Each structure stands twice: as structure tokens, then as C-alpha cells.
Amino acid sequence: MNAIEQVFEHNRSWAARMRASDLEFFDRHVRGQQPEVLWIGCSDSRVPASVVTGLGIGEAFVHRNVGNVVEPEDANGGAVIECALEELEVRHLVVCGHSQCGAVRAALAGSARGRLGAWLAPLRTLFAAERGRLEALAPGPARERAAAELNVRRQLANLVALAPVHRAVNAGRLRSARGWLYELETGLLHELEVLAFERHTGARDG
């Protein structure tokens, strides 16, 4: 059985288990979604949001790209953020990077070319500005982790500067924006930064 055949086999088994354990499972999700969290993470196959957080189906709206970048001119990311905040009215924003990140490593080395190189240009700019701090650390995992943490903080700053975020804060819908780092070596999430917003009474609580 090849990889694609395994996907469909696993899917059929999963669907059967869900129906057997909860007859209303699929009917509930057909009726809509009301996630509390927007997760912006890296495309890395080792960091699936629902797996590492334990959140179930319908509990997180997810956007992933190479390097967990929040780029103001990115139409795709911008559409996800607007949908999450203005249509789904999520309560919490999360930017999550991770250790051993290939995007961070490539940006540090300046080795990426083509579209990937262009996409990672903001990371290269960030790391050049923080060169003294990064080069004080030995090359390898320690430097890469520090760079990944810097990247999370920068992308979180980019996120909260966006107009849809300002609108959600002013409307009293948004509770927090958080920067996290997932540690591949241990499987643990580490909170790097929390921005809490003033709480207002609204239709939803959370």
C-alpha cells in the first residue's frame, strides 16, 4: 500500500470510528464552526496544530506557511486573518514557531533561492538587524532557537499591527495575542509573549 492509499484507508477508519463513538459528530460540524483560536504556524510537517495542542475539530482556525510569517502584503494570510476575526470572531491569536526550523536555518544561512528566498527575505532582514545578539551564540541549535524566538516575536508584532486586529480589539471581541515556540526535542509549547486586551461584555465569552 503506497502513501496515498494509506491516507484513504486511514480516513475511512477514522470516519467509521467517529460515527461509532458519536452519532452526531459530522452533523454538528456541518452546522458550522465557532473556533476560539486563530493559529498561525509553520508548514513543517512535524508541528500540526491540532496534534500538539490537543484541540479538537472546530476549535482552531489554522493558517500555516514556511516560517510562520505574518506579511502585511500577503493576500492569503490577510484573508485568513480577516475571516478569523470578522466572520468567526475568534478570541485568541497565536503565532507559533518551533525549534529546528528549516526556514529559520535557511534565512540565517542565506541559502534559499527563488520564491522561497523572496518569502524569507523579512527573516533575513530581522536576523541581520540582530546579528550581534545571534552571533554571540554558538552556531547550531542555540543560535537557531534564538532566531526562531526572535521571529515569533516579530511576526506577533506584525500581526497585532494589522487593521483587522485593531478593529477586533476596539470592538471588544479579541482577548489576547500570543507568541509560542514548540520544542521539537520535548514536544512542549513555550509561551514567549502575551498581549492581553481589555475585556468587554459581548455575545460570546471566553
Side-chain angles (χ1 to χ4, degrees), residues 45-67:
S45 61
R46 300 166 293 179
V47 195
S50 60
V51 175
V52 304
T53 62
L55 291 173
I57 291 175
E59 294 182 330
F61 200 58
V62 176
H63 176 64
R64 297 171 69 183
N65 62 55
V66 178

Side-chain angles (χ1 to χ4, degrees):
M1 185 181 295
N2 64 36
I4 300 302
E5 290 170 338
Q6 286 180 343
V7 167
F8 281 93
E9 179 62 28
H10 291 162
N11 170 250
R12 286 189 291 268
S13 297
W14 171 78
R17 288 196 306 274
M18 293 301 102
R19 285 193 297 269
S21 63
D22 182 354
L23 292 176
E24 299 294 321
F25 182 83
F26 293 108
D27 290 339
R28 235 182 2 261
H29 293 301
V30 165
R31 291 194 290 269
Q33 60 173 321
Q34 199 172 36
E36 291 285 334
V37 176
L38 168 62
W39 169 286
I40 298 176
C42 185
S43 297
D44 194 296
S45 61
R46 300 166 293 179
V47 195
S50 60
V51 175
V52 304
T53 62
L55 291 173
I57 291 175
E59 294 182 330
F61 200 58
V62 176
H63 176 64
R64 297 171 69 183
N65 62 55
V66 178
N68 45 273
V69 174
V70 178
E71 170 52 52
E73 301 304 317
D74 173 25
N76 180 19
V80 171
I81 292 163
E82 283 191 12
C83 181
L85 290 169
E86 299 181 356
E87 301 297 326
L88 300 175
E89 298 187 356
V90 300
R91 295 305 205 187
H92 306 281
L93 307 177
V94 172
V95 176
C96 187
H98 64 97
S99 62
Q100 306 290 336
C101 180
V104 167
R105 188 175 296 132
L108 283 170
S111 58
R113 298 291 181 268
R115 290 187 177 181
L116 178 59
W119 178 253
L120 296 179
L123 273 67
R124 292 198 303 274
T125 300
L126 170 64
F127 298 156
E130 298 288 347
R131 180 177 177 181
R133 184 190 308 189
L134 293 171
E135 290 189 349
L137 301 168
R143 183 180 296 178
E144 290 171 6
R145 178 171 179 138
E149 292 183 1
L150 285 170
N151 184 42
V152 167
R153 294 178 187 277
R154 173 56 58 85
Q155 305 313 324
L156 183 64
N158 290 347
L159 178 60
V160 299
L162 296 177
V165 177
H166 290 177
R167 290 195 294 268
V169 171
N170 291 337
R173 297 192 302 268
L174 197 59
R175 299 286 179 259
S176 71
R178 298 163 183 271
W180 294 352
L181 190 84
Y182 175 72
E183 195 172 68
L184 283 178
E185 298 85 350
T186 64
L188 296 177
L189 288 165
H190 297 270
E191 194 151 63
L192 305 179
E193 189 168 352
V194 180
L195 302 173
F197 305 116
E198 184 179 354
R199 186 167 185 151
H200 300 269
T201 301
R204 290 174 61 193
D205 196 16

